[in-house]
Amino acid sequence: MVSQLDSLKKFSSVVADTGDIDSIQKFNPDDCTTNPSLIFKAVQSDKYKKLVDEVISNSKSRKFSQTEDQVNYIADQLTIAFGIELTKIVPGYVSTEVDSDLSFNTEATVEKAKQIINSYEQSGIPKNRILIKIAGTWEGIQAVKKLEAEGISCNCTLIFSLTQAIACAEAGAFLISPFVGRILDWFKSNTQKDYDSSNDPGVESVEKIFNYFKKFNYNTIVMAASFRNKDEIINLAGCDKLTISPTLLEELSQNDDEIKLKLSKENNQSFNITYGNARTLLDAAQTIVKITNSKSKIVDTGRNSLYPDRGTLNIDKARQLVNYKPTMSLENGLESYYGWLQNKI
Ligand code: E4P
């Protein structure tokens, strides 16, 4: 049987989200992403002691005005040292993150990005193998704009909304990393609701961004990141790239349940009824009538000024009436809706 990981690779480019060089070889990812907490986790393992000792010892031959500068230097060099090793394992890109303390300083971010690229180049790694990971703050996005204009490709990270994603794409970001798990974490701790794979707000955020980008032909790659469980990944099959931790890569490789394509440019275009000229619910309803060859006549009676509530849509009630299931595709949903209507006739 084909593993879920292998099936997933038919729909999306699979990326390893780790600093643990040894743990990913067997999964053959296309690219690799790192961040400071992943590198911190990796440096604590005895496996990488030699690498860490080397970087610390090299730093001793330099002069620093204060210890903090030396620590920052070591942290940068360690990130790059891990990045260099990762370029030997993956054929594609390695993402290296700029210190998040610089997230609100455009100039400092640009300077740090150039230093990182310089260090890689001095070690023989060309800049076309590296993506500079920059937080999607306003200042970060301005830095991305400058760097992309100078031929340095960026991975705009910590993307939590469509607005942020569009700003990155307009700035010419090579790639964005919309987060899934961090959104779910927030909703879990700030609402009283239960979340599962049918209503995961992190997954919904990525779907929205992906569909928007494909609809409006943005070239920026969408790489979903920050996963908390395997279902989140499976529900985004078809996203341009998915960056996945070694633990979840392992889970996917051990399971052979079927995976279906969830996101695609084609699906998005054929089912899109509210873009283009259709702007109101009435427009959308007319589009549905047209594409389903229905003989219905759409009328808009507007709000009744005496009974204002009568004109108000009650989405929950409408869903109940048509037996709405969030996991159902639009195609199947329409089919079951027609079935339901037939029973009423
Ligand atoms: C990847 O690029 C991100 O840094 C990573 O997926 C974040 O994951 P987290 O939310 O588990 O920290």
Coordinates of all heavy atoms in Angstrom, one line a residue, residues 17 33-35 37 97 133 155 157 177 179 182 223 225-228 243, ligand 1:
D17 N 10.2 20.4 8.6 CA 10.2 21.6 9.5 C 11.0 21.2 10.7 O 10.5 20.7 11.7 CB 8.7 21.9 9.9 CG 8.6 23.2 10.5 OD1 9.5 24.1 10.4 OD2 7.5 23.4 11.2
T33 N 12.7 23.8 6.4 CA 12.5 25.1 7.1 C 13.1 25.0 8.6 O 12.9 23.9 9.2 CB 11.1 25.5 7.2 OG1 10.3 24.5 7.8 CG2 10.5 25.8 5.8
T34 N 13.7 26.1 9.0 CA 14.1 26.1 10.4 C 13.6 27.3 11.1 O 13.1 28.2 10.4 CB 15.7 26.1 10.5 OG1 16.2 27.3 9.9 CG2 16.3 24.9 9.8
N35 N 13.6 27.3 12.4 CA 13.3 28.6 13.1 C 14.2 28.5 14.4 O 14.7 27.5 14.7 CB 11.8 28.8 13.3 CG 11.2 27.7 14.3 OD1 11.9 27.2 15.2 ND2 10.0 27.4 14.0
S37 N 13.5 28.3 17.5 CA 13.2 27.2 18.5 C 13.6 25.8 18.0 O 14.0 25.0 18.8 CB 11.8 27.3 19.0 OG 10.9 27.4 18.0
E97 N 15.8 31.8 9.4 CA 15.0 32.9 9.9 C 15.9 34.1 10.5 O 16.9 33.8 11.2 CB 14.1 32.4 11.1 CG 13.1 33.4 11.5 CD 11.9 32.7 12.2 OE1 11.6 31.5 11.8 OE2 11.3 33.3 13.1
K133 N 13.8 33.9 6.0 CA 12.5 33.8 6.7 C 12.4 35.1 7.5 O 13.2 35.4 8.4 CB 12.5 32.6 7.6 CG 11.2 31.9 7.6 CD 11.4 30.6 8.3 CE 10.2 30.2 9.1 NZ 10.4 29.1 10.0
N155 N 10.9 34.0 2.6 CA 9.8 33.2 3.1 C 9.2 34.1 4.2 O 9.7 34.3 5.3 CB 10.4 31.9 3.7 CG 9.4 31.2 4.6 OD1 8.3 31.7 4.9 ND2 9.8 30.0 5.0
T157 N 7.0 34.8 7.0 CA 6.4 33.8 8.0 C 5.5 34.5 9.0 O 5.3 35.7 9.0 CB 7.5 33.0 8.7 OG1 7.0 32.0 9.4 CG2 8.3 34.0 9.6
S177 N 4.4 31.7 4.6 CA 4.1 30.5 5.5 C 2.9 30.9 6.4 O 3.0 31.4 7.5 CB 5.3 30.2 6.4 OG 6.4 29.8 5.7
F179 N 0.3 30.1 9.1 CA 0.3 29.2 10.2 C -1.0 28.6 10.4 O -2.1 29.3 10.3 CB 0.8 29.9 11.5 CG 2.3 30.0 11.6 CD1 3.1 30.1 10.5 CD2 2.9 30.0 12.8 CE1 4.5 30.2 10.6 CE2 4.3 30.1 13.0 CZ 5.1 30.2 11.8
R182 N -0.9 27.6 15.2 CA -0.9 28.7 16.2 C -2.3 29.4 16.2 O -2.7 29.9 17.2 CB 0.2 29.7 15.8 CG 1.6 29.2 15.9 CD 2.3 29.8 17.0 NE 3.5 29.0 17.2 CZ 4.4 29.2 18.2 NH1 4.2 30.2 19.0 NH2 5.5 28.5 18.3
M223 N 3.0 28.1 1.5 CA 3.5 26.9 2.2 C 2.8 26.9 3.6 O 3.2 27.7 4.5 CB 5.0 27.0 2.3 CG 5.6 25.8 3.1 SD 7.3 25.7 3.1 CE 7.8 27.0 4.1
A225 N 2.2 26.0 7.4 CA 3.1 25.6 8.4 C 2.5 25.5 9.7 O 1.3 25.8 9.9 CB 4.2 26.7 8.4
S226 N 3.2 25.1 10.7 CA 2.8 25.0 12.1 C 1.6 24.1 12.3 O 0.4 24.5 12.5 CB 2.4 26.5 12.6 OG 1.7 26.5 13.8
F227 N 1.9 22.8 12.1 CA 0.8 21.8 12.2 C 0.7 21.2 13.6 O 1.8 20.9 14.2 CB 1.0 20.7 11.2 CG 0.7 21.2 9.8 CD1 1.8 21.3 8.9 CD2 -0.5 21.6 9.4 CE1 1.6 21.8 7.6 CE2 -0.8 22.1 8.1 CZ 0.3 22.2 7.2
R228 N -0.5 20.9 14.1 CA -0.6 20.3 15.4 C -1.0 18.8 15.3 O -0.9 18.1 16.2 CB -1.7 21.0 16.2 CG -1.3 22.4 16.6 CD -0.2 22.5 17.6 NE 0.2 23.9 17.8 CZ 1.3 24.4 17.2 NH1 2.0 23.7 16.3 NH2 1.6 25.7 17.4
T243 N 5.0 22.4 5.2 CA 6.2 22.1 6.0 C 5.8 21.4 7.3 O 5.0 21.9 8.1 CB 7.1 23.4 6.2 OG1 8.3 22.9 6.9 CG2 6.4 24.5 7.1
Ligands
E4P1 C1 7.8 26.9 10.0 O1 8.3 27.5 9.1 C2 7.3 27.4 11.3 O2 8.4 28.1 11.9 C3 6.8 26.4 12.2 O3 6.0 25.5 11.5 C4 6.1 26.9 13.4 O4 5.5 25.9 14.1 P1 5.0 26.1 15.6 O5 3.8 26.9 15.6 O6 4.8 24.7 16.1 O7 6.1 26.8 16.4

